[in-house]
Amino acid sequence: MNETNYLLGQKVFQSIREDILSGRYQRQEELREITIGGEQEVSRTPVREALRQLELEGLVTIIPNRGAYVIGISAQDMKEIYEMRSLLEGLCARWAAKNASQEQIDILEETVFLADYYLKRENPKQMTEIDQKFHEILYDAGGSRILGLAMKKYHHYLERARKASLLVPGRAAAFSREHRQIMEAVKERDEEKAEQAAHLHMAQTIKNIDSYGWENITGGRKDGKD
């Protein structure tokens, strides 16, 4: 594959990935190369490469002589990812308290202030984006490239769950408080306090989605089946 097709493939990959994670494409829906190529205004070659990458991520299955079909993220997948995050988020916060630069701490503090701003204006979309930024900075601040990459991927997979969680009455305010507790612990360089605050944040998030219903996030699919 030449460089042009590779770059186009990466662009198509990101686009389809977003559509799968956002729920635009449903489980078992066929991803037709010619249709996607037309939508993206590219040939079938970069589309084919994008579908191969999505298969490696477990979001798509390619059946020889039939086509590519969406697997996506089921409610059970989301719950398992949250449980894995609950074990690792505390480590990220602990390392951030130890390794964060002053600039990273300042950005964490800024995201907390912005979350409060959008909370008062009842803007869940902006709060979801702030949540994304807060955790990405926290992961970078930990100083571990490998852990950071894994956590960003997990966090991205949970976009629908995070949006649904913030719609539950009272959760947005709690989310803002929990982020502030993590930020303050990192700012104080208190590794144990940062780890505990991050664990609490994950525990409260899981509890919140338990009450909301994991299946409600994916339209009633618990294990990925209709």
Side-chain angles (χ1 to χ4, degrees), residues 50 57 64 68 90 108 122 124 128 184 203 207 212 218 220 222:
E57 283 212 1
L108 282 176
E122 299 182 350
T128 301
E184 289 177 347
K207 181 180 179 180
Y212 179 84
T218 54
K222 181 177 182 181

Side-chain angles (χ1 to χ4, degrees), residues 162-197:
R162 292 187 292 110
K163 287 180 178 178
S165 178
L166 286 173
L167 295 176
V168 175
R171 180 55 194 159
F175 139 96
S176 186
R177 289 195 302 272
E178 291 158 16
H179 276 197
R180 179 175 292 277
Q181 289 168 354
I182 297 170
M183 179 274 294
E184 289 177 347
V186 171
K187 188 176 181 179
E188 294 166 9
R189 303 293 184 180
D190 190 326
E191 297 175 39
E192 184 174 351
K193 184 178 176 182
E195 183 173 13
Q196 291 174 349

